[in-house]
Amino acid sequence: QVQLVESGGGLVHTGGSLRLSCAASGRTFSSYGMGWFRQAPGKEREFVASISTSGVSTYYADSVKGRFTISRDNAKNTVWLQMNSLKPEDTAIYYCAAGGSGVAIANRNVEYWGQGTQVTVSS
């Protein structure tokens, strides 16, 4: 069982930056691929980024490539999503996810979800 708690969301202007954190419970954090999804009002939840168990491999949605960076620290049981050059269309609830691998998460094969954190980008 893995519990995920996100933090770091908030309100930011267009072009600004935010760093989301996801703290995971349990001693098996390093065996899970980790990722981030987001869901805007009236839209389906979509994949944003994922990272392999070791942190060597990362995967991104085309819409965030070059602007967002996912990273993890297995010693701290934490995964981050650094978001730069934010746009109004990035406004959504962002969810942390844990799965079998980074590739699995990129294919929406998620085992655990966090509760979400709101990100709002004003124009």
mmCIF file of all heavy atoms in Angstrom, residues 70-96:
data_model
loop_
_atom_site.group_PDB
_atom_site.id
_atom_site.type_symbol
_atom_site.label_atom_id
_atom_site.label_comp_id
_atom_site.label_asym_id
_atom_site.label_seq_id
_atom_site.Cartn_x
_atom_site.Cartn_y
_atom_site.Cartn_z
ATOM 1 N N ILE A 70 10.221 16.402 -14.299
ATOM 2 C CA ILE A 70 9.903 15.497 -13.197
ATOM 3 C C ILE A 70 11.203 14.945 -12.631
ATOM 4 O O ILE A 70 12.154 14.674 -13.369
ATOM 5 C CB ILE A 70 8.968 14.353 -13.668
ATOM 6 C CG1 ILE A 70 8.483 13.536 -12.473
ATOM 7 C CG2 ILE A 70 9.636 13.484 -14.729
ATOM 8 C CD1 ILE A 70 7.383 12.536 -12.827
ATOM 9 N N SER A 71 11.248 14.804 -11.303
ATOM 10 C CA SER A 71 12.427 14.249 -10.651
ATOM 11 C C SER A 71 11.984 13.521 -9.383
ATOM 12 O O SER A 71 10.851 13.680 -8.935
ATOM 13 C CB SER A 71 13.435 15.356 -10.313
ATOM 14 O OG SER A 71 12.855 16.319 -9.449
ATOM 15 N N ARG A 72 12.883 12.743 -8.822
ATOM 16 C CA ARG A 72 12.552 11.995 -7.609
ATOM 17 C C ARG A 72 13.792 11.802 -6.764
ATOM 18 O O ARG A 72 14.924 11.833 -7.259
ATOM 19 C CB ARG A 72 11.938 10.643 -7.955
ATOM 20 C CG ARG A 72 12.896 9.655 -8.601
ATOM 21 C CD ARG A 72 12.166 8.381 -9.056
ATOM 22 N NE ARG A 72 11.624 7.613 -7.944
ATOM 23 C CZ ARG A 72 10.726 6.650 -8.074
ATOM 24 N NH1 ARG A 72 10.250 6.346 -9.286
ATOM 25 N NH2 ARG A 72 10.293 5.978 -7.019
ATOM 26 N N ASP A 73 13.551 11.584 -5.477
ATOM 27 C CA ASP A 73 14.613 11.253 -4.536
ATOM 28 C C ASP A 73 14.119 10.060 -3.731
ATOM 29 O O ASP A 73 13.238 10.219 -2.865
ATOM 30 C CB ASP A 73 14.932 12.445 -3.631
ATOM 31 C CG ASP A 73 16.118 12.180 -2.723
ATOM 32 O OD1 ASP A 73 16.399 11.004 -2.390
ATOM 33 O OD2 ASP A 73 16.763 13.174 -2.310
ATOM 34 N N ASN A 74 14.644 8.890 -4.008
ATOM 35 C CA ASN A 74 14.158 7.683 -3.336
ATOM 36 C C ASN A 74 14.495 7.665 -1.840
ATOM 37 O O ASN A 74 13.803 7.023 -1.061
ATOM 38 C CB ASN A 74 14.713 6.441 -4.023
ATOM 39 C CG ASN A 74 14.059 6.207 -5.378
ATOM 40 O OD1 ASN A 74 12.977 6.718 -5.658
ATOM 41 N ND2 ASN A 74 14.718 5.441 -6.230
ATOM 42 N N ALA A 75 15.534 8.370 -1.458
ATOM 43 C CA ALA A 75 15.882 8.444 -0.038
ATOM 44 C C ALA A 75 14.870 9.279 0.743
ATOM 45 O O ALA A 75 14.701 9.092 1.950
ATOM 46 C CB ALA A 75 17.279 9.021 0.129
ATOM 47 N N LYS A 76 14.207 10.202 0.045
ATOM 48 C CA LYS A 76 13.222 11.081 0.690
ATOM 49 C C LYS A 76 11.787 10.678 0.374
ATOM 50 O O LYS A 76 10.845 11.344 0.797
ATOM 51 C CB LYS A 76 13.448 12.529 0.246
ATOM 52 C CG LYS A 76 14.780 13.107 0.682
ATOM 53 C CD LYS A 76 14.919 14.560 0.231
ATOM 54 C CE LYS A 76 16.241 15.143 0.720
ATOM 55 N NZ LYS A 76 16.422 16.556 0.282
ATOM 56 N N ASN A 77 11.618 9.582 -0.393
ATOM 57 C CA ASN A 77 10.272 9.140 -0.776
ATOM 58 C C ASN A 77 9.463 10.275 -1.402
ATOM 59 O O ASN A 77 8.275 10.453 -1.100
ATOM 60 C CB ASN A 77 9.504 8.573 0.429
ATOM 61 C CG ASN A 77 9.906 7.155 0.752
ATOM 62 O OD1 ASN A 77 10.939 6.676 0.305
ATOM 63 N ND2 ASN A 77 9.102 6.478 1.542
ATOM 64 N N THR A 78 10.099 11.043 -2.266
ATOM 65 C CA THR A 78 9.446 12.227 -2.826
ATOM 66 C C THR A 78 9.680 12.315 -4.329
ATOM 67 O O THR A 78 10.765 11.988 -4.819
ATOM 68 C CB THR A 78 9.969 13.499 -2.146
ATOM 69 O OG1 THR A 78 9.728 13.415 -0.738
ATOM 70 C CG2 THR A 78 9.267 14.738 -2.688
ATOM 71 N N VAL A 79 8.650 12.770 -5.019
ATOM 72 C CA VAL A 79 8.757 13.080 -6.438
ATOM 73 C C VAL A 79 8.296 14.521 -6.632
ATOM 74 O O VAL A 79 7.390 14.989 -5.937
ATOM 75 C CB VAL A 79 7.934 12.087 -7.284
ATOM 76 C CG1 VAL A 79 6.452 12.153 -6.952
ATOM 77 C CG2 VAL A 79 8.159 12.328 -8.764
ATOM 78 N N TRP A 80 8.935 15.217 -7.552
ATOM 79 C CA TRP A 80 8.612 16.621 -7.800
ATOM 80 C C TRP A 80 8.221 16.829 -9.260
ATOM 81 O O TRP A 80 8.621 16.064 -10.148
ATOM 82 C CB TRP A 80 9.823 17.507 -7.507
ATOM 83 C CG TRP A 80 10.255 17.508 -6.092
ATOM 84 C CD1 TRP A 80 9.765 18.274 -5.080
ATOM 85 C CD2 TRP A 80 11.298 16.719 -5.509
ATOM 86 N NE1 TRP A 80 10.436 18.014 -3.905
ATOM 87 C CE2 TRP A 80 11.382 17.058 -4.145
ATOM 88 C CE3 TRP A 80 12.173 15.753 -6.011
ATOM 89 C CZ2 TRP A 80 12.298 16.468 -3.272
ATOM 90 C CZ3 TRP A 80 13.082 15.158 -5.149
ATOM 91 C CH2 TRP A 80 13.138 15.518 -3.803
ATOM 92 N N LEU A 81 7.486 17.910 -9.483
ATOM 93 C CA LEU A 81 7.200 18.353 -10.840
ATOM 94 C C LEU A 81 7.492 19.852 -10.876
ATOM 95 O O LEU A 81 6.750 20.653 -10.292
ATOM 96 C CB LEU A 81 5.750 18.089 -11.232
ATOM 97 C CG LEU A 81 5.414 18.464 -12.681
ATOM 98 C CD1 LEU A 81 6.124 17.506 -13.646
ATOM 99 C CD2 LEU A 81 3.896 18.411 -12.921
ATOM 100 N N GLN A 82 8.594 20.213 -11.514
ATOM 101 C CA GLN A 82 8.945 21.614 -11.700
ATOM 102 C C GLN A 82 8.244 22.100 -12.959
ATOM 103 O O GLN A 82 8.444 21.539 -14.045
ATOM 104 C CB GLN A 82 10.457 21.771 -11.845
ATOM 105 C CG GLN A 82 10.909 23.193 -12.102
ATOM 106 C CD GLN A 82 10.661 24.113 -10.929
ATOM 107 O OE1 GLN A 82 10.911 23.757 -9.781
ATOM 108 N NE2 GLN A 82 10.142 25.308 -11.207
ATOM 109 N N MET A 83 7.433 23.139 -12.805
ATOM 110 C CA MET A 83 6.652 23.661 -13.920
ATOM 111 C C MET A 83 7.069 25.094 -14.200
ATOM 112 O O MET A 83 6.919 25.973 -13.342
ATOM 113 C CB MET A 83 5.156 23.596 -13.583
ATOM 114 C CG MET A 83 4.677 22.211 -13.180
ATOM 115 S SD MET A 83 2.896 22.119 -12.951
ATOM 116 C CE MET A 83 2.685 23.204 -11.547
ATOM 117 N N ASN A 84 7.620 25.318 -15.372
ATOM 118 C CA ASN A 84 8.057 26.643 -15.792
ATOM 119 C C ASN A 84 7.251 27.121 -16.981
ATOM 120 O O ASN A 84 6.576 26.329 -17.652
ATOM 121 C CB ASN A 84 9.550 26.613 -16.162
ATOM 122 C CG ASN A 84 10.436 26.220 -15.001
ATOM 123 O OD1 ASN A 84 10.137 26.517 -13.846
ATOM 124 N ND2 ASN A 84 11.540 25.544 -15.295
ATOM 125 N N SER A 85 7.329 28.418 -17.246
ATOM 126 C CA SER A 85 6.621 29.011 -18.401
ATOM 127 C C SER A 85 5.154 28.580 -18.423
ATOM 128 O O SER A 85 4.628 28.156 -19.460
ATOM 129 C CB SER A 85 7.316 28.603 -19.708
ATOM 130 O OG SER A 85 8.664 29.003 -19.716
ATOM 131 N N LEU A 86 4.515 28.700 -17.294
ATOM 132 C CA LEU A 86 3.138 28.222 -17.175
ATOM 133 C C LEU A 86 2.179 29.032 -18.037
ATOM 134 O O LEU A 86 2.355 30.250 -18.235
ATOM 135 C CB LEU A 86 2.695 28.253 -15.720
ATOM 136 C CG LEU A 86 3.250 27.106 -14.875
ATOM 137 C CD1 LEU A 86 3.167 27.417 -13.400
ATOM 138 C CD2 LEU A 86 2.517 25.808 -15.192
ATOM 139 N N LYS A 87 1.168 28.336 -18.539
ATOM 140 C CA LYS A 87 0.157 28.926 -19.401
ATOM 141 C C LYS A 87 -1.224 28.731 -18.776
ATOM 142 O O LYS A 87 -1.413 27.807 -17.972
ATOM 143 C CB LYS A 87 0.178 28.226 -20.765
ATOM 144 C CG LYS A 87 1.525 28.202 -21.449
ATOM 145 C CD LYS A 87 1.467 27.362 -22.718
ATOM 146 C CE LYS A 87 2.820 27.284 -23.401
ATOM 147 N NZ LYS A 87 2.766 26.451 -24.639
ATOM 148 N N PRO A 88 -2.186 29.547 -19.148
ATOM 149 C CA PRO A 88 -3.545 29.358 -18.610
ATOM 150 C C PRO A 88 -4.087 27.958 -18.862
ATOM 151 O O PRO A 88 -4.829 27.423 -18.022
ATOM 152 C CB PRO A 88 -4.355 30.416 -19.363
ATOM 153 C CG PRO A 88 -3.374 31.502 -19.636
ATOM 154 C CD PRO A 88 -2.081 30.790 -19.938
ATOM 155 N N GLU A 89 -3.711 27.344 -19.972
ATOM 156 C CA GLU A 89 -4.194 25.992 -20.271
ATOM 157 C C GLU A 89 -3.564 24.925 -19.380
ATOM 158 O O GLU A 89 -3.962 23.761 -19.441
ATOM 159 C CB GLU A 89 -3.974 25.642 -21.750
ATOM 160 C CG GLU A 89 -2.566 25.879 -22.249
ATOM 161 C CD GLU A 89 -2.439 27.225 -22.954
ATOM 162 O OE1 GLU A 89 -2.964 28.238 -22.430
ATOM 163 O OE2 GLU A 89 -1.775 27.262 -24.025
ATOM 164 N N ASP A 90 -2.607 25.298 -18.556
ATOM 165 C CA ASP A 90 -2.059 24.369 -17.568
ATOM 166 C C ASP A 90 -2.916 24.319 -16.305
ATOM 167 O O ASP A 90 -2.656 23.506 -15.410
ATOM 168 C CB ASP A 90 -0.628 24.767 -17.180
ATOM 169 C CG ASP A 90 0.347 24.641 -18.330
ATOM 170 O OD1 ASP A 90 0.276 23.642 -19.074
ATOM 171 O OD2 ASP A 90 1.192 25.553 -18.482
ATOM 172 N N THR A 91 -3.907 25.183 -16.213
ATOM 173 C CA THR A 91 -4.786 25.205 -15.053
ATOM 174 C C THR A 91 -5.528 23.881 -14.921
ATOM 175 O O THR A 91 -6.180 23.423 -15.861
ATOM 176 C CB THR A 91 -5.799 26.358 -15.173
ATOM 177 O OG1 THR A 91 -5.104 27.607 -15.133
ATOM 178 C CG2 THR A 91 -6.811 26.309 -14.040
ATOM 179 N N ALA A 92 -5.401 23.257 -13.751
ATOM 180 C CA ALA A 92 -6.002 21.944 -13.523
ATOM 181 C C ALA A 92 -5.714 21.495 -12.099
ATOM 182 O O ALA A 92 -4.915 22.123 -11.391
ATOM 183 C CB ALA A 92 -5.441 20.916 -14.500
ATOM 184 N N ILE A 93 -6.350 20.418 -11.711
ATOM 185 C CA ILE A 93 -5.946 19.711 -10.507
ATOM 186 C C ILE A 93 -4.873 18.711 -10.926
ATOM 187 O O ILE A 93 -5.084 17.937 -11.865
ATOM 188 C CB ILE A 93 -7.131 18.988 -9.853
ATOM 189 C CG1 ILE A 93 -8.194 19.993 -9.427
ATOM 190 C CG2 ILE A 93 -6.654 18.187 -8.638
ATOM 191 C CD1 ILE A 93 -9.467 19.354 -8.894
ATOM 192 N N TYR A 94 -3.754 18.739 -10.223
ATOM 193 C CA TYR A 94 -2.634 17.866 -10.548
ATOM 194 C C TYR A 94 -2.586 16.718 -9.535
ATOM 195 O O TYR A 94 -2.619 16.950 -8.318
ATOM 196 C CB TYR A 94 -1.329 18.646 -10.527
ATOM 197 C CG TYR A 94 -1.148 19.477 -11.778
ATOM 198 C CD1 TYR A 94 -1.928 20.610 -11.996
ATOM 199 C CD2 TYR A 94 -0.220 19.119 -12.755
ATOM 200 C CE1 TYR A 94 -1.779 21.359 -13.156
ATOM 201 C CE2 TYR A 94 -0.065 19.866 -13.911
ATOM 202 C CZ TYR A 94 -0.859 20.984 -14.104
ATOM 203 O OH TYR A 94 -0.727 21.724 -15.255
ATOM 204 N N TYR A 95 -2.495 15.500 -10.065
ATOM 205 C CA TYR A 95 -2.506 14.302 -9.252
ATOM 206 C C TYR A 95 -1.175 13.563 -9.368
ATOM 207 O O TYR A 95 -0.654 13.359 -10.477
ATOM 208 C CB TYR A 95 -3.614 13.364 -9.702
ATOM 209 C CG TYR A 95 -5.004 13.909 -9.538
ATOM 210 C CD1 TYR A 95 -5.620 14.628 -10.559
ATOM 211 C CD2 TYR A 95 -5.716 13.704 -8.350
ATOM 212 C CE1 TYR A 95 -6.903 15.137 -10.404
ATOM 213 C CE2 TYR A 95 -6.994 14.200 -8.194
ATOM 214 C CZ TYR A 95 -7.581 14.917 -9.223
ATOM 215 O OH TYR A 95 -8.860 15.413 -9.069
ATOM 216 N N CYS A 96 -0.682 13.137 -8.231
ATOM 217 C CA CYS A 96 0.486 12.272 -8.188
ATOM 218 C C CYS A 96 0.026 10.831 -8.377
ATOM 219 O O CYS A 96 -1.069 10.452 -7.922
ATOM 220 C CB CYS A 96 1.173 12.440 -6.838
ATOM 221 S SG CYS A 96 2.670 11.474 -6.612
#
